Amino acid sequence: MMRHLFFIVFILSTLCGFAQDEYWFYLRTKDTATLNFKVEGDLLKYVGEDKILKETLAKEKIKTFKKTLRKAKIRDLNRTYFVVANNANLHTKLLKDTPNIFISGEPILGEDKKIYEPNDYGLTSTIGENIGMQANLDYLDVLGLPEAWYYTTGSRDVPIGISDGQVNPNDIDFQGKTTLFNRSHYAGGHGVNIAANAAAQGDNGVGFTGVCFDCSIYGTSYGQFYNYSEVVGLAKAGARVINCSWVSTRYIENGQKVMDSLFNEGVIVVAAAGNRDFSKTKGKVYSYPASYRHVISVSSGMYRHEKPLDNILQLEDGTYYTSNLRGSVGRTMGFPKNDTLQTPFVYEVSTAILNTEVDILAPTSELIMFQEFINKGEVAHHQFETTSGATPLVSGTIGLMFSLYPCLTAEEVEPILKITALNIDDVPGNKKFAGLYGAGLLQTGKAIKLLHDLKNENETAYIENQNFNRWDFTAVGVSKEIVVRNQVFQENANLDIESKNRIRIGTNTVLKPNQNGKIKLRINPDLENECNLRTRKNK
């Protein structure tokens, strides 16, 4: 006799069976009470008390009905469900027949279903099992990691270099993938957190997952600011992307020569911009190696809340403020005259270093502190705006890029990251810092999709939704078409697109560089990929 297993939160390990008639959607309930189901074969059966809901669901084939933090604003926490069923109209039927339970919902369609989640993705999991660390990894959602993992989860032959504090190759998410070259000190677990953000092993049912979770890790020490011997050593060992979450404020000419040499050899160095806030720096302080030419400089950006009013907080003295507004350069924001209906301003003390050499922002506040899990078994989140944690999110993204298309040139990497970054020019409070926060907030999912589409003859690649007045942009694609739309390249921006087939300039596009910029659009029918795309499904 089959033993029925009762679950409060349940998802099948694989979504199979009626895949062609499989419909996904979100539902939100009136309260936080949990809807109970039991497993019967490959399906779920509702075993709760509501008679109308029981009658409705008895006629349906339900594969997944689980709580998730995905797409859940503060008011919807613990009230949002991810559902997989064989009826495309089930969510509207439930909203109509059981308004006492469900208050809103929407289908998940088309491109939004092109995702992959490992089984240790945390509390925002939908199609993943979530049997690892029970942690909120919503910053990876905002970066679009499930969309990126649809194409690639990384590759063991793409090592991410970590020049930092000690990494233990025997730690739970570093086992079997970590090689150490130089001994380093523990540094309070700094190196552990950096390596985990970049490449903690995913889909192993324990811990949590890094960005490029199937990439390997090359670890070494840090601090040689003259010749960067540790960084050079990682490059010689085969690392094409190297993370440096440490800073010096001293420019050394030989350091620039080292970075130029590494870039010319096809190696990308990604470095933290530094943590000193704007009230002290006023955008005039530069850190190294981040501010050297041919280094990607990463500063801190916020990610969680879409609007200031989504997260209104109050100090004991009655002062209102908001925090972690998506795209803001500061962790906290205040309101003129303490009026929450006015446009908020960024508290300068809640920023990290911002300057003209910053290339891109990535999340920092609320990142998982992996060393706390390793040492104490606790789930802890970092509370402040430090660039150390942001930097490996970019390094991991580049690891995914090299894994997907191993022949990607160094010249193509940074343009893809910047073109696909979330433009944050219009985020409340950011105008004051214009020109100092790079291209915006990292979007890993969009970066990987653009790379995939550029290198795939069956796809159309889109360059869109940005506004650039500087930097050099190179795009090389064999796609059936490269479309530039809702895009601005002006003033000192340089754009060089080489396409095998067609380049189309779409609506709301401005191509007006000055005498220091240039637009070069080329059709080369003989253009071919240097190697094949390596997608997750083709591994």
Side-chain angles (χ1 to χ4, degrees):
M1 179 180 295
M2 177 182 295
R3 180 184 179 187
H4 292 294
L5 301 178
F6 289 83
F7 288 78
I8 290 179
V9 176
F10 177 83
I11 185 171
L12 296 176
S13 60
T14 58
L15 297 177
C16 54
F18 53 85
Q20 290 184 347
D21 298 319
E22 193 173 271
Y23 301 95
W24 301 5
F25 46 91
Y26 292 110
L27 283 168
R28 295 173 189 86
T29 55
K30 268 191 171 182
D31 55 42
T32 59
T34 299
L35 302 175
N36 295 321
F37 291 80
K38 71 178 180 181
V39 183
E40 288 191 349
D42 289 337
L43 301 175
L44 300 180
K45 179 179 179 180
Y46 174 67
V47 293
E49 300 297 325
D50 192 276
K51 292 182 180 180
I52 296 178
L53 181 59
K54 185 174 291 187
E55 290 176 3
T56 301
L57 293 183
K59 306 171 186 176
E60 308 292 343
K61 293 182 179 179
I62 309 295
K63 301 201 72 173
T64 305
F65 209 113
K66 60 171 285 189
K67 281 188 176 181
T68 179
L69 293 186
R70 183 83 58 85
K71 300 290 184 180
K73 297 181 179 181
I74 287 181
R75 64 179 180 272
D76 298 324
L77 292 179
N78 209 28
R79 299 196 297 111
T80 301
Y81 284 82
F82 171 72
V83 182
V84 178
N86 72 327
N87 182 352
N89 300 312
L90 179 59
H91 73 288
T92 54
K93 184 175 178 58
L94 290 174
L95 290 172
K96 178 182 177 181
D97 294 348
T98 53
N100 59 310
I101 299 176
F102 300 106
I103 59 173
S104 66
E106 66 274 352
I108 304 171
L109 304 172
E111 290 291 317
D112 290 337
K113 294 176 70 173
K114 289 186 175 182
I115 64 172
Y116 179 79
E117 295 172 354
N119 60 18
D120 45 5
Y121 189 50
L123 297 176
T124 64
S125 293
T126 56
I127 62 172
E129 286 184 272
N130 186 22
I131 57 177
M133 182 192 298
Q134 298 302 293
N136 185 357
L137 306 179
D138 60 347
Y139 53 92
L140 298 184
D141 290 338
V142 173
L143 297 183
L145 262 300
E147 290 82 0
W149 291 329
Y150 178 83
Y151 296 103
T152 178
T153 57
S155 179
R156 280 291 190 271
D157 62 3
V158 177
I160 297 178
I162 305 293
S163 173
D164 209 288
Q166 177 184 329
V167 178
N168 185 350
N170 296 316
D171 281 345
I172 195 166
D173 275 340
F174 301 147
Q175 295 174 359
K177 61 184 292 178
T178 303
T179 302
L180 302 183
F181 291 89
N182 285 326
R183 187 181 184 86
S184 189
H185 58 286
Y186 188 63
H190 193 273
V192 173
N193 288 332
I194 302 311
N197 285 343
Q201 185 59 50
D203 248 353
N204 60 352
V206 293
F208 86 119
T209 180
V211 172
C212 192
F213 64 77
D214 277 331
C215 282
S216 56
I217 297 170
Y218 283 2
T220 191
S221 55
Y222 64 100
Q224 296 296 327
F225 292 103
Y226 178 75
N227 58 15
Y228 290 90
S229 57
E230 304 101 334
V231 177
V232 172
L234 290 176
K236 289 182 177 178
R240 293 185 62 194
V241 54
I242 300 172
N243 190 96
C244 300
S245 288
W246 37 270
V247 304
S248 167
T249 56
R250 183 184 175 192
Y251 174 88
I252 301 173
E253 185 175 352
N254 190 65
Q256 180 62 76
K257 292 179 180 178
V258 172
M259 297 304 149
D260 289 343
S261 176
L262 290 171
F263 183 82
N264 292 335
E265 293 169 6
V267 177
I268 303 295
V269 175
V270 186
N275 298 336
R276 294 179 65 188
D277 68 73
F278 196 81
S279 71
K280 300 181 178 68
T281 69
K282 300 302 180 183
K284 303 299 183 182
V285 172
Y286 295 84
S287 300
Y288 301 92
S291 296
Y292 285 129
R293 181 177 59 251
H294 292 145
V295 175
I296 296 178
S297 175
V298 183
S299 194
S300 167
M302 300 302 118
Y303 70 91
R304 178 168 287 168
H305 303 287
E306 295 182 8
K307 300 177 182 179
L309 295 180
D310 288 343
N311 187 38
I312 296 295
L313 305 169
Q314 190 174 25
L315 299 175
E316 291 184 0
D317 66 3
T319 301
Y320 290 108
Y321 71 101
T322 187
S323 70
N324 208 344
L325 176 68
R326 186 171 303 168
S328 175
V329 300
R331 177 174 51 86
T332 56
M333 307 175 74
F335 297 92
K337 299 180 181 181
N338 206 30
D339 181 357
T340 59
L341 297 181
Q342 294 197 41
T343 301
F345 59 87
V346 172
Y347 284 116
E348 293 183 355
V349 295
S350 72
T351 67
I353 279 186
L354 299 168
N355 58 46
T356 56
E357 293 300 323
V358 168
D359 293 299
I360 200 164
L361 308 183
T364 51
S365 180
E366 301 296 335
L367 298 191
I368 283 291
M369 301 173 67
F370 191 60
Q371 98 280 2
E372 293 295 314
F373 180 76
I374 291 294
N375 295 333
K376 304 176 184 178
E378 297 178 356
V379 176
H381 296 260
H382 199 286
Q383 298 301 311
F384 299 104
E385 59 289 342
T386 58
T387 58
S388 290
T391 305
L393 301 178
V394 178
S395 299
T397 298
I398 297 170
L400 291 175
M401 294 169 73
F402 284 137
S403 299
L404 178 63
Y405 186 65
C407 299
L408 187 67
T409 65
E411 290 81 5
E412 293 175 273
V413 171
E414 189 172 327
I416 289 176
L417 293 176
K418 287 180 172 176
I419 286 170
T420 56
L422 176 67
N423 186 297
I424 60 173
D425 293 343
D426 294 329
V427 172
N430 280 356
K431 186 176 181 179
K432 175 180 179 178
F433 309 95
L436 305 178
Y437 49 70
L441 188 68
L442 174 70
Q443 297 287 277
T444 302
K446 291 183 178 180
I448 297 303
K449 178 169 174 50
L450 177 57
L451 174 59
H452 172 270
D453 293 349
L454 283 170
K455 307 303 180 182
N456 190 319
E457 293 185 349
N458 298 317
E459 300 289 350
T460 296
Y462 292 94
I463 295 174
E464 58 186 351
N465 303 329
Q466 268 287 11
N467 187 338
F468 297 120
N469 57 19
R470 56 183 173 138
W471 297 315
D472 299 331
F473 297 91
T474 298
V476 180
V478 300
S479 51
K480 60 184 181 183
E481 186 176 34
I482 298 176
V483 178
V484 184
R485 65 184 184 185
N486 194 33
Q487 181 74 39
V488 176
F489 291 100
Q490 61 185 351
E491 299 181 18
N492 297 322
N494 288 281
L495 175 64
D496 185 348
I497 299 178
E498 183 179 9
S499 174
K500 180 177 182 178
N501 295 301
R502 183 184 182 196
I503 301 171
R504 179 161 58 91
I505 306 303
T507 58
N508 299 319
T509 296
V510 177
L511 305 177
K512 288 187 177 181
N514 59 25
Q515 65 273 17
N516 297 316
K518 183 171 59 177
I519 303 296
K520 188 176 183 180
L521 308 178
R522 294 173 288 160
I523 303 298
N524 179 3
D526 296 323
L527 184 65
E528 299 290 344
N529 283 340
E530 295 295 324
C531 59
N532 293 326
L533 285 166
R534 300 192 305 181
T535 61
R536 177 178 58 87
K537 293 182 178 180
N538 293 331
K539 272 189 176 181

